[in-house]
Amino acid sequence: MTIRKITTIIEDIHQEGGRHVDPAARVAVVAAVIENPWRGQGFVEDLQPGIETTASEIGALLAPRVVEALGAPVEAYGKAAIVGLDGEVEHGSALIHTLKFGDHFRQATQATTLLPAVEKRGPAGVLFDIPLKHITDATIRSHHQTVEVRLSDAPHAGEIVIALAAAAQGRPQQRLADLSTEQ
């Protein structure tokens, strides 16, 4: 795996809806810009060799970094794969939709739910939203949120941005009733 750069973003929300948020609502994102392992190969029928050489390694690299960046217990999480214009969306999906990748994050956070994801193809600087859900119960509405990310110089045409996001809480000032009230 060839890494061009790793970017860490930390967001602390101190006010929402005109009211103070205490403690501040923190979200962290760690994104690695890597060379697409299928770059220049044309259509690749069997993606497994690239998955084997890349997915676990990138998951092991990013999971502890995002947990450390958050600096608090993780309550919500998500992932992203943004593929440069010379790649296929399937290339990003192949890397992040495998237990070899996601289990590193689940183990680091004692999570039990599937990681929500975004994957898309785009040019350098493409804007993307990483969806977040609660780490043990995806039906907890307060933790359904997104974090917006943009790396001004990534992905290049032959790269993939792989990112993990974590939140220390649900949405600031959330007021929706529990899902069970509608069932």
Side-chain angles (χ1 to χ4, degrees), residues 30-31 34 38 48 61 67 102 123 163:
V30 176
I34 66 169
W38 301 281
Q48 198 60 40
L61 174 71
V67 171

Side-chain angles (χ1 to χ4, degrees), residues 75 77 112-116 132-145 179:
E75 289 190 15
Y77 67 167
T112 56
T113 58
L114 292 174
L115 273 155
L132 302 168
K133 300 235 177 179
H134 195 277
I135 63 169
T136 62
D137 185 348
T139 67
I140 296 176
R141 289 178 170 171
S142 60
H143 288 59
H144 295 347
Q145 55 189 317
L179 180 63

